[in-house]
Amino acid sequence: MPKLPAPPIPAALKPKPKRPGEGNGKAKPHEVAAEAGIHAVDWVDERTSLSGGLRWLMFRKVPKGTNWFYTLGSATLFAFLAQAVTGVFLAMYYDPSAIHAYESARYITNEVFLGQFVRGMHKWGATVMMILIFLHMGRVFFFGAYKYPRELNWIIGVVLIVLTLLMGLTGYLLPFDQRSYWATIVGVNINGTGPIVGPFLSDFLRGGAEFGSTTLSRFYAIHMLLVPGLIAALIGAHLYLVTKLGTTAPPWLKAEPSDDELVEDRV
């Protein structure tokens, strides 16, 4: 006689999978840590529903032909974050006064633990960020990524370049040595030659008609508070539009027709 199939086991009687710490053996430390991390993430996500937004941000279609040129924007963002982190550490020791600014910069370089390393990262990181943002803008222009419907993102990118240049101008004065002092005077005087708003802009940057202690404190406030806040806000808007609108394929690749278009052509 053929054997009859065994009756299905009720779900309530099925053995449950063992969790870390259950059973004969003890759970390994990395298993306990992983389980705690999962519980923490689930706890936060249950109360904030952030997983949907992160999934929308991280998982999206990428056009054919995407290459390493498309990483210039991410590299610029990384350079900005490095500038922000190193700038916070430098601000802990810097004194934005005309009397102590130079000495505080010298103290950071010569006395503070890893001060010369952090200051070097901030100094050369500014140059790297400037190069990367212009390369990113060139890639967007030559690939035609500024066209409809991405015009607003192009405008935001242009404003970000202007703010980056302003960040470099205001930060150059902060060591307050002879080179930075006279170079800033030249830069502010060049701004003053602009039509209509030029003289008012120069007076605003100087904090008056002449260079003085007010100029240094104003440059420090612009460099540390005003410009980084504007850059962070515009980067957020820039990334939102990139995620919403997507990226464009390289101009040398032609878009393949969809199935609906092929059917219409056959008809």
Side-chain angles (χ1 to χ4, degrees), residues 188-204 206:
V188 173
N189 289 339
I190 291 175
N191 289 329
T193 60
I196 304 174
V197 298
F200 298 100
L201 180 61
S202 294
D203 290 342
F204 169 77
R206 285 192 299 260

Side-chain angles (χ1 to χ4, degrees), residues 68-267:
W68 285 101
F69 289 109
Y70 287 80
T71 63
L72 290 171
S74 301
T76 307
L77 174 61
F78 178 80
F80 171 72
L81 295 177
Q83 290 299 100
V85 172
T86 54
V88 169
F89 284 105
L90 293 176
M92 294 179 182
Y93 298 95
Y94 180 74
D95 186 356
S97 64
I99 299 175
H100 302 102
Y102 177 78
E103 285 300 321
S104 64
R106 187 197 60 80
Y107 176 76
I108 292 172
T109 304
N110 299 329
E111 304 295 336
V112 177
F113 176 69
L114 293 179
Q116 185 176 10
F117 174 74
V118 175
R119 189 182 175 191
M121 283 187 62
H122 196 75
K123 174 184 177 182
W124 293 108
T127 304
V128 170
M129 181 178 175
M130 203 79 66
I131 295 173
L132 287 174
I133 196 170
F134 274 100
L135 289 176
H136 177 55
M137 186 177 187
R139 199 279 303 172
V140 171
F141 178 78
F142 287 111
F143 281 32
Y146 59 91
K147 300 178 181 179
Y148 175 85
R150 300 174 179 85
E151 301 95 334
L152 180 59
N153 220 14
W154 170 261
I155 295 173
I156 292 176
V158 173
V159 176
L160 282 172
I161 286 185
V162 175
L163 291 176
T164 303
L165 294 173
L166 181 60
M167 178 82 79
L169 174 65
T170 53
Y172 196 79
L173 178 66
L174 299 186
F176 214 62
D177 53 8
Q178 289 291 327
R179 180 174 60 181
S180 63
Y181 178 83
W182 293 108
T184 305
I185 289 179
V186 172
V188 173
N189 289 339
I190 291 175
N191 289 329
T193 60
I196 304 174
V197 298
F200 298 100
L201 180 61
S202 294
D203 290 342
F204 169 77
L205 292 175
R206 285 192 299 260
E210 300 293 337
F211 268 75
S213 58
T214 307
T215 306
L216 182 61
S217 61
R218 179 160 299 192
F219 270 52
Y220 180 72
I222 295 173
H223 185 77
M224 280 294 298
L225 300 174
L226 179 61
V227 178
L230 292 174
I231 289 179
L234 290 176
I235 285 177
H238 195 73
L239 292 177
Y240 169 76
L241 290 176
V242 169
T243 306
K244 179 179 176 58
L245 302 174
T247 57
T248 58
W252 55 83
L253 292 180
K254 294 183 178 180
E256 297 180 357
S258 61
D259 296 337
D260 297 338
E261 292 175 347
L262 291 176
V263 172
E264 290 179 1
D265 291 341
R266 292 172 183 174
V267 175

